[in-house]
Amino acid sequence: MENVNFAEILQLFGCVVTSTSNVKSNNLKDAPSQCGILYQPEQGVVLSHGSILADYCIADKKLNNKINNGSPIEESDLGDAVFSTMIDRRWSPCELNTRSREEQHDSDNTNLSTDHCPEYRTLACRFICAFKNEDFSRAVSKFMPESTWSFETSQNITDVTDQDNSKQDMCEKLSFNLLSYFVILKTCPLTLTLSRTKLRKDYSLPLILRQQCRIGEAAEIVSTPFGSQNPSVFFNTYSVGVVCNVSGNEGCWIVTDARCIPGSEGGALFTGKGGQQRFLAGIIVASLCWKNKEWVGFSMACSIRSVIESMFKTFKKIRCDNITSLLGANLKPFHYLTNQEINSSKTIEKNEEFLSSTVLIRVGNTWGSGVIVNCQKGIILTCSHVVKDTQHFTAMIKPYQGSQEYSAHVVYSNRNAPYGPLDIAVLTCPEATAHLCSKHIPKINTPQIGEKVLVIGHALFSYDLNMHPSITVGVVSKLIHSHEQLAIVQSTCAVHAGSSGGPLLNAQGDLIGIIVCNTVDKGSNACYPHLNLCVPAISLLSPLQRYLDSGDASAFAAYNVEDLTTKRLWALDSNVLGERSSPTKSKL
């Protein structure tokens, strides 16, 4: 199986769902569309996300009220709406009554060159039911409350002016409520045309569902940006990242840094490892989100297990016998592979080990992250701006999920230069590090341009939620020097509020940087999570070693950098780096 292209296999299960007819009669601006998953191709069963109902809810108060009440949505609730789905052309309908529709679809693409054969075919499908996932709804309300978070669940929601506050509030509430809704549709039974692909059947079928994701696991998404607007270019785009965090009932709430674009809602999230089998783990529910109006570089998904279980609960609740007959008598939950049944990935094991050296640091009602560099003496590195208020509050350390907090002693803090060169503080808290053995402590090393890296930190989600730290991945994008000395490490990992003080690690788990800030454009006030700056860990090594040997905190005086050029680099001074951007701390 070493020569199998898994990206090509995963694309088989992606599709696009569109509501295509009677748009004007429903007062819809455009034909709503988004992604879907071929859940059981042999029976033509398609799963998608409830955001495709957004415009229908805006046009129909009765339907909007049902969503607000968490009620199931049945076919009759949508009036004369008609749905279709675009599927990978390697699937062939078992029935022969789709020829006229396919011929009509091909005629719609007359602007394409004559030698272009679309990689998809369009089939009619029937809306069966939309249902609310209560477990996921509770998780979203807990971790991403409506008071501070906002989401884009449909690129088709009618534009609302700032003056139309009541309608704007309705749209925001609707977007939040639809996050927990999922849709099941039915098209004709499908069979894979193996003659059209090099894939072997046993590599692509059956689709195996994952019971629960694990933090740090590789994530792959198949989705179509912008839905049906330009599938000839964007159909079943493939992206990769990592599972950043998992929580909620049996891990139903998932965040990932794999990139998504509006219209990708309903897309498939896969997990797996290396050149071995992949597993369907989740369905994308939000491609874009904001916290306190600041863009967040995460996408949100719901575990596939939670979606399927809530679907069957809905079937029992509404007691609709014809649903089973419509979907097929053999429709049943898949066999889920548990974490124990799936061979552990060394990469996942490493990432889980990396989590143990990252702690949460709370000062009053603000918080950041820190990294343990010596467990015997309880030495923790963080940013000076994370502990800047310790003259009023005690720095508290929470070493792992579910642990108690311990008070820490601030050995050193560069209070005169927050966000400046070596924005570093050194804390001691032996009680918080006693559970670790030395093998969990990262060694300090030198970064290399282009090497794969990960950031671990308690970003975005409040300290009182009792969560694991999140992981994001990227590469070292630039190394900035001053007087031939490494001054700044730049990475493409997503960095947000609460990441400050957390570790930048290479693939071996070596500490190569301490996260300080991301960047903000002065002109637009836009924040860029994937453009962030780190203190090089190698520049901290000698003073740290002297302190460990002698116990003399004066060794950290070397962290007080007075060089003007280095200061200007860290300030993004216009004389050095241009005028448009300036660094900002992760807002705590």
Side-chain angles (χ1 to χ4, degrees), residues 72-184:
I73 306 300
E74 300 180 60
E75 187 177 23
S76 58
D77 293 318
L78 297 180
D80 54 4
V82 175
F83 291 81
S84 63
T85 182
M86 296 177 186
I87 63 171
D88 191 297
R89 203 170 184 87
R90 289 171 290 180
W91 293 104
S92 291
C94 295
E95 301 172 357
L96 300 177
N97 60 0
T98 58
R99 182 176 179 183
S100 60
R101 177 173 289 275
E102 290 185 52
E103 289 175 348
Q104 176 63 42
H105 167 69
D106 290 340
S107 68
D108 291 340
N109 289 278
T110 54
N111 59 317
L112 301 176
S113 60
T114 55
D115 61 346
H116 175 78
C117 179
E119 57 187 290
Y120 57 88
R121 65 175 79 238
T122 302
L123 303 174
C125 65
R126 182 173 180 178
F127 180 91
I128 303 299
C129 181
F131 51 92
K132 183 177 182 179
N133 184 331
E134 295 289 352
D135 285 341
F136 186 70
S137 177
R138 284 189 288 270
V140 172
S141 297
K142 177 180 179 181
F143 300 117
M144 307 172 96
E146 188 177 3
S147 58
T148 54
W149 290 79
S150 58
F151 304 89
E152 178 147 344
T153 57
S154 173
Q155 75 276 25
N156 297 302
I157 289 181
T158 305
D159 293 334
V160 180
T161 64
D162 293 337
Q163 289 73 27
D164 194 356
N165 292 327
S166 61
K167 193 166 185 178
Q168 187 173 23
D169 290 344
M170 182 192 75
C171 290
E172 290 177 357
K173 183 175 179 60
L174 176 63
S175 293
F176 195 82
N177 289 336
L178 283 174
L179 289 172
S180 304
Y181 265 85
F182 300 88
V183 172
I184 186 164

Side-chain angles (χ1 to χ4, degrees), residues 526-539:
C527 178
Y528 299 101
H530 297 279
L531 181 58
N532 50 79
L533 307 179
C534 311
V535 170
I538 197 69
S539 64

Side-chain angles (χ1 to χ4, degrees), residues 397-409:
I397 306 295
K398 190 170 188 176
Y400 53 87
Q401 184 187 43
S403 76
Q404 69 180 83
E405 288 186 319
Y406 302 92
S407 59
H409 171 61

